Amino acid sequence: CGLGGADIEAHPWRLLERDLRVTGSWSRWGGHVQVRVGTR
């Protein structure tokens, strides 16, 4: 909540994507659950 709260436009996972070489990503439940896998 500290990163995204209730703002549906916040996309807090993008903070991770800046520092990761993303090798996989998944979205579930209409985008409410976001998973990113990668190396830093």
Side-chain angles (χ1 to χ4, degrees):
C1 287
L3 292 173
D7 182 0
I8 61 172
E9 299 298 322
H11 306 138
W13 57 88
R14 289 187 179 158
L15 293 173
L16 293 173
E17 290 176 342
R18 288 189 311 199
D19 297 331
L20 293 178
R21 184 171 54 89
V22 175
T23 58
S25 64
W26 297 269
S27 175
R28 297 290 184 265
W29 293 298
H32 291 283
V33 175
Q34 297 286 329
V35 177
R36 297 296 186 270
V37 179
T39 56
R40 185 169 180 202

